[in-house]
Amino acid sequence: MSATTHHHRIIPSLPRDYIRRRRMRRRISNAIVIPLLSGVAAYFITRQTGGSGFTLPKSAQRAAPSAPANPVSLAHDIRPNSPEGLAAGAVANAVSGPMISGAYKLADGTHAVTEVPDIVLHDAKRNKDLHVRIFYPNEPGLYSVIVFSHGAGGSQSCCEALTRHWATYGYVTLQPTHDDSTVQRRHAGEEDINFLIAVRDALKKPALWQSRPQDISFVLDSLPVLQKRIPALAGKIDAEHIGVGGHSMGAFTADAIAGALVDLPNHPATNFTDSRVRAVLLLSPQGPGEFGLTDHSWDHVTLPLLSMTGSLDLGAGNQGPDWKKIPFERSQPGDKYHTFIEGANHMSFISAKTFLPGRATQDDSILGFTNAASLAFWDAYLKADPAAKNYLQSDALPEFSHSVVRLSRR
């Protein structure tokens, strides 16, 4: 048989819907590659390297040379924040003060802050140690408390761009490391653990869904112990005004603490509500179908709630931003807020790090919008600040962002 004859027999054997199948293969490849790249990015962002906080952009600092400096006393080797920038044009008229052209308290606050990079608390009931990172104001006073929960595979070392910033405005921020942490699992001897495995395990292991909100309640139980073990913290913790926030799986954790019901094996609709908590912040939360959450998990959630997502923020199953809005939509109305940020991806809410230099300014802006909305929320519901609540009820942040931010209320 000649090569030409063989060639002519092969070509007609190709399926007639070849183009359609090629398109399908491309879609499947995108569905695999995009989450994989997101996972790799998440690994480098959430690995134990610390981070830099958000401060006034250089243009605003030049416009407001009298803005108060914020020295930082460190119990560990980290540096004060270096200046970062907001999106071009968004700060053209920036001035000093709590409101910067419609953005809420973007500059660091007036409190000098001390970091306790790691303190270990022992939970005798569960026979486990819990590592906690703390930021607190140096000045005497009584300060509201925020417990912040990291994403799957992360650790207490993440997210200081938020937690330290809040501390400069008079909050004690506590960051526990949960059992799914890759750092913690490596320290326990799991040499082959990596970020993607940690995320897979977090999605499949109900024991992790249960242990996380239990960690938060244990941290709150330990507030008197912390004041004894850290003398400079004594008398500074206002246990009557407590908020819980979290990113990704940490948002699930805060959601559960607020009263979202979780289906565990043989224990449907498990309730992890902690009545000591006054408000919750959900950064890139989950809708039904993950971590034991169902269509009716939020039916009885009444606490003040602020959730955030963005146009590029996908769930582990490629769910879109509408899915991440469900906790806001299905919880009880009243003091509920949802922030949508155009261009924000899954990691944009906790770090301005990016692999794409062209996105550096945009990612810095998104982190600034996150800080503005979240701090206004904490001030409104942990400090009962009427100006902060008025800010949340206004369109100041969407207007400041030139409609990059959309704010919904219920």
Side-chain angles (χ1 to χ4, degrees), residues 269-285:
T270 303
N271 192 335
F272 294 101
T273 304
D274 194 311
S275 61
R276 293 170 290 188
V277 177
R278 296 286 191 90
V280 291
L281 170 69
L282 315 179
L283 303 179
S284 188

Side-chain angles (χ1 to χ4, degrees), residues 149-197:
S149 176
H150 62 76
S155 74
Q156 66 199 42
S157 67
C158 86
C159 314
E160 71 177 42
L162 301 177
T163 55
R164 183 195 167 279
H165 181 72
W166 299 337
T168 69
Y169 281 96
Y171 291 93
V172 175
T173 62
L174 309 169
Q175 298 175 246
T177 292
H178 301 293
D179 291 342
D180 53 88
S181 167
T182 56
V183 172
Q184 183 157 301
R185 291 175 67 173
R186 286 193 196 106
H187 288 169
E190 295 186 52
E191 296 180 359
D192 297 330
I193 187 65
N194 60 44
F195 177 79
L196 295 178
I197 293 174

Side-chain angles (χ1 to χ4, degrees), residues 259-330:
L261 302 180
V262 180
D263 277 1
L264 299 175
N266 301 318
H267 294 283
T270 303
N271 192 335
F272 294 101
T273 304
D274 194 311
S275 61
R276 293 170 290 188
V277 177
R278 296 286 191 90
V280 291
L281 170 69
L282 315 179
L283 303 179
S284 188
Q286 297 76 25
E290 284 187 3
F291 305 134
L293 296 169
T294 71
D295 288 334
H296 296 284
S297 286
W298 298 274
D299 287 356
H300 303 290
V301 173
T302 59
L303 282 182
L305 178 151
L306 170 64
S307 61
M308 287 193 197
T309 187
S311 58
L312 305 180
D313 183 18
L314 299 179
N318 278 336
Q319 304 95 330
D322 289 345
W323 179 73
K324 291 176 175 287
K325 193 178 181 181
I326 288 176
F328 161 78
E329 294 176 327
R330 297 189 185 174

